[in-house]
Amino acid sequence: MHAFDPTLTDTIVRHLVDRLSLDPAPLGRIGAAAELEVQLKGAIGARGADPADVLRRYTEAVEPTVVSCDSPRFLAFIPGAPTKAAALFDMVVSAASLHGVSWLEASGAIAAENQVLRLLADLAGLPAEAGGCFVSGGSAGNLSALVVARDTARRRLGLDRRAPLRIAVSDQTHSSVANTLSIIGVDPLVVPTEDHRLTGRALAAALAEAERTAAADGRVIGVVATAGTTNAGIIDDLAGIADQATAHGLWLHVDAAYGGAGLFAPEIRAAMTGIERADSVVIDPHKWLFAPFDCGALLYRDPRLARAVHTQDASYLDAIHGDGAEDHDEWNPSDYAYHLTRRPRGLPLWFSLAVHGTDAYRAAVEHGLRIARFTAELVRRTEGLELVREPELSVVVLRRVGWSGDDYRAWCDDLMQRQIAFVAPTVWEGETVARLAYVHPDITEQMVEEIIATLVAPAPAPALAPAAVSAAAAAEGRA
Ligand SMILES: *Cc1c(COP(=O)(O)O)cnc(C)c1O
């Protein structure tokens, strides 16, 4: 199984070349479980099969039923859009079985990853000591950071493990933070937003109220601010929140999983003033920085605090920590998140950034901003459509006057069936509305016009596959 097999290699490499050369990648479709079960039946047997036959099964059954995130017509949730350089280098990482647990085992890979983390830290304005590691995504980053927030507060305040704690979040905070808080046994202090935006003022009021109930409900030890909400791309009042965090001694975590890419665009960087005061920041390059899945960047203002929490002790791990890691220039990614074994998932981004340069990244991010503004303008000019909110980043939320949730769902299913776009409705203040999320730099104004036209043109008589209908219904609101 481990011998070099030129035929097998050739089969796969030819497939890779074919897939990479698709321009654009076909959108794909949603598979039905029963159909997939039949197509995959018997794939794994005791005696193995010809690789070409297995690959054929893959290209016929699996590949078309994974909606292509690298299609510019993927506009649901938050898409991904890896550069070709990053996608190719991901294969290098795989082919060389690169790993990135510890400096002892993977110093070169970690040094290159850290170069990218440094770039992101500089864009955010974090100090020279800032650092962290790449994790699988925003959820893993939020969890790893908030564990450090919790344990640092316990240590500083001399609190018992049973003492109840709270972390302030907003009613717009990403669902992964609610998961995190449930996992780490910290209660949320949900702060109401002003126009869906968490402000320093609202946080101050909530903290004053929370002080009165601290004994029973727990001290507030941190706050999660969002730099680009997933649903509408709204940037919280980071500077005002940072003021409150300083005044109350709170850990400031900025969830910039989606919006962090905006740091490349000077106008957005200005709107994110305050991010430089964060104790921890999460940015997902697999969203808007064109890295393949799965790639999340986690940064700490003071990485020593993370090390004190995440470093794993086991006698067989002593070797990777040397004699007192504090004084060494070694950097162990396993010390900065809850993981141990990991792929150096920052390397594809490192390669792509080095190949294309940061100017190209800025231009690609700015394209998303421009297309969002173009869409907003088009919506304003189109009778029957309303902009729900002015876009701040690259997400546009809009309403077709008079439509019900079923209308939006039928619209999404129709767009998918006609391969015009993969779109999912969302919910805004209790109302189902349309939402377009732009990440891919190849989305054009013509594509946007084509999609917007389908909202106002008489809907063609739908002949919907039941699987597609239920998938869109399930997807609704997932953003
Ligand atoms: C996408 C997203 C997350 C979750 O990130 P994953 O990479 O999907 O785990 C968290 N927060 C925000 C704001 C996001 O947009």
Side-chain angles (χ1 to χ4, degrees):
M1 289 195 286
H2 295 74
F4 178 71
D5 177 343
T7 314
L8 169 67
T9 307
D10 193 50
T11 304
I12 296 294
V13 168
R14 264 189 299 124
H15 170 77
L16 294 176
V17 171
D18 288 348
R19 179 61 180 79
L20 283 168
S21 62
L22 292 175
D23 185 21
L27 203 45
R29 64 186 177 84
I30 300 151
E35 162 205 27
L36 283 164
E37 192 182 325
V38 170
Q39 288 176 300
L40 295 178
K41 200 175 167 67
I44 302 174
R47 299 166 60 97
D50 187 315
D53 292 340
V54 181
L55 185 64
R56 195 170 312 114
R57 206 195 274 260
Y58 166 80
T59 53
E60 284 168 9
V62 179
E63 196 173 58
T65 50
V66 178
V67 180
S68 299
C69 82
D70 55 343
S71 161
R73 295 175 181 275
F74 188 129
L75 305 175
F77 317 118
I78 302 286
T83 65
K84 295 292 185 275
L88 281 161
F89 210 76
D90 207 42
M91 298 173 207
V92 173
V93 170
S94 292
S97 302
L98 292 192
H99 56 91
V101 180
S102 69
W103 190 260
L104 174 73
E105 300 160 280
S107 47
I110 293 163
E113 284 191 299
N114 284 353
Q115 217 177 4
V116 181
L117 291 174
R118 188 64 250 158
L119 172 75
L120 297 176
D122 284 341
L123 287 172
L126 290 169
E129 317 79 73
C133 63
F134 283 95
V135 292
S136 64
S139 308
N142 287 336
L143 174 56
S144 296
L146 293 181
V147 168
V148 179
R150 180 197 66 183
D151 289 5
T152 302
R154 273 185 185 154
R155 190 166 46 72
R156 285 184 176 157
L157 300 168
L159 294 174
D160 185 79
R161 289 177 64 84
R162 282 159 309 202
L165 299 176
R166 287 186 284 179
I167 288 180
V169 299
S170 87
D171 49 27
Q172 302 294 305
T173 303
H174 191 265
S175 51
S176 62
V177 174
N179 273 1
T180 279
L181 295 183
S182 145
I183 293 167
I184 69 174
V186 171
D187 284 326
L189 171 69
V190 182
V191 182
T193 49
E194 301 175 27
D195 189 23
H196 300 260
R197 185 168 179 259
L198 180 62
T199 62
R201 190 173 48 184
L203 177 61
L207 288 172
E209 181 64 30
E211 213 122 293
R212 280 197 278 282
T213 56
D217 296 340
R219 283 182 78 132
V220 181
I221 54 102
V223 56
V224 177
T226 308
T229 57
T230 318
N231 204 15
I234 297 165
I235 302 166
D236 285 345
D237 167 26
L238 301 181
I241 295 166
D243 287 343
Q244 292 305 313
T246 306
H248 294 265
L250 308 182
W251 182 282
L252 171 58
H253 176 68
V254 176
D255 180 354
Y258 155 56
L263 292 171
F264 277 82
E267 58 179 302
I268 301 301
R269 174 63 188 83
M272 289 187 185
T273 299
I275 195 171
E276 68 284 352
R277 293 162 70 188
D279 293 293
S280 50
V281 177
V282 161
I283 300 172
D284 263 358
H286 68 207
K287 284 180 172 166
W288 201 8
L289 284 178
F290 321 114
F293 305 122
D294 44 12
C295 182
L298 168 60
L299 287 162
Y300 298 93
R301 158 176 237 88
D302 182 353
R304 287 173 308 175
L305 299 175
R307 270 206 302 272
V309 172
H310 284 299
T311 298
Q312 297 193 28
D313 286 317
S315 49
Y316 61 87
L317 292 177
D318 283 351
I320 71 172
H321 289 121
D323 43 355
E326 295 281 335
D327 314 323
H328 285 241
D329 57 0
E330 63 188 35
W331 193 267
N332 296 311
S334 56
D335 292 345
Y336 303 101
Y338 64 78
H339 56 206
L340 189 57
T341 303
R342 60 183 286 281
R343 59 190 265 119
R345 48 172 70 86
L347 272 186
L349 176 58
W350 171 82
F351 183 77
S352 183
L353 275 165
V355 165
H356 294 296
T358 52
D359 284 355
Y361 275 70
R362 189 189 65 229
V365 168
E366 286 178 339
H367 179 78
L369 298 170
R370 210 164 34 242
I371 284 287
R373 283 195 295 264
F374 173 82
T375 308
E377 198 41 54
L378 186 60
V379 167
R380 264 194 290 269
R381 287 203 320 261
T382 307
E383 189 142 359
L385 299 186
E386 283 174 5
L387 205 54
V388 168
R389 203 177 191 288
E390 201 61 43
E392 275 175 67
L393 293 173
S394 66
V395 176
V396 183
V397 183
L398 66 149
R399 170 186 302 114
R400 168 73 161 92
V401 178
W403 269 16
S404 68
D406 284 343
D407 293 321
Y408 287 103
R409 284 184 286 275
W411 171 67
C412 293
D413 290 335
D414 174 59
L415 284 187
M416 187 63 166
Q417 207 152 52
R418 293 197 281 153
Q419 296 283 291
I420 294 173
F422 179 52
V423 173
T426 191
V427 175
W428 185 264
E429 297 177 356
E431 175 195 0
T432 300
V433 291
R435 176 181 175 278
L436 302 169
Y438 302 120
V439 164
H440 204 302
D442 290 350
I443 177 97
T444 62
E445 294 180 354
Q446 288 71 24
M447 288 181 201
V448 173
E449 283 166 346
E450 181 188 10
I451 292 162
I452 293 297
T454 62
L455 275 164
V456 281
L464 300 178
V469 174
S470 55
E476 183 172 353
R478 206 191 82 189

